[in-house]
Amino acid sequence: SISTKLFCGFGLLVVLLLGVSCVGLIQLKHVAAQTDEINIRWLPSVFSIQEIRLGVAVYRRQQYAHMSVSDAPTMDKYEEKLSKALNVLAAGQKIYDPLPQTPEEKVLYDSFLVDWKSYQQLVPAWLALSKADKKEEAKAMLSSGPMVDLFYKCDEGLKSIAGINNDGADKAGLRSHEIGSQAFLLVSIIAAVATLIGMGIALVLSRSIAIPIRTMAGAVRQLAEGDLTTKVPVAGKDEIGVMATAFNDTVDSLHRVMTEIREAADQTAA
């Protein structure tokens, strides 16, 4: 029936549109997952490692500042700044420690913790020299030997960890971009296919509905003009097919009645 054809045609279009929507939503979900990975996994790691690295660098700078003064109140001020630098480092560790780490990252971080602990074990001896106004000895201890080696090892380790996390964020961003591009291409292809199918459905419906109706309209005009031989082709069993059959039956009936009237008139005239 016509209603069945229309229902099937529009139903197919709805299915195609739902398909496009589902594909788009799935791809958006993948993009969101990559964005979450960047925001939840990589960026906090980058931020916290930079905080730890900043704390180490500031701590080292305050050590040099401590050696540049001799009066006790100013040295006390720099010791407070040393404590604040350690607080910055601890704040970074508090963020970083619970975060997931790659095996390489974990090895580097564990090595940093060992090296930083060894560095801190040397600080009391250095501080005693600086406070005792043995500045040259304190400077020699800070600028050479184990302390400088440990500082550079700590800084290089943190730098490597930051690099790993920056690379991870970059790769996740690249994957997100690739997924977005693939989603756009896929949705575009499906939308184009859906458009072509929709045009095909419209063409089929127009041929199966509009053309027969135009044919029947033409036949009705011919009948109105007195042509009792006109016929409409019956192309199916839908409503239009039923109308075409009924029209043909009507024409046959009219033709038969007109023939009978003509014959009766001929007999009367004879």
Side-chain angles (χ1 to χ4, degrees), residues 92-144:
Q93 286 182 300
K94 186 176 181 181
I95 297 171
Y96 179 78
D97 288 348
L99 294 172
Q101 301 169 8
T102 65
E104 181 186 3
E105 195 177 348
K106 182 168 176 53
V107 169
L108 288 168
Y109 187 62
D110 289 343
S111 177
F112 158 75
L113 292 176
V114 171
D115 292 335
W116 183 246
K117 184 177 179 181
S118 298
Y119 186 93
Q120 287 296 302
Q121 288 172 348
L122 297 173
V123 168
W126 164 83
L127 187 59
L129 290 171
S130 184
K131 292 181 75 170
D133 208 23
K134 297 179 179 180
K135 302 299 183 181
E136 290 302 321
E137 294 178 46
K139 185 177 180 181
M141 184 177 181
L142 189 64
S143 304
S144 60

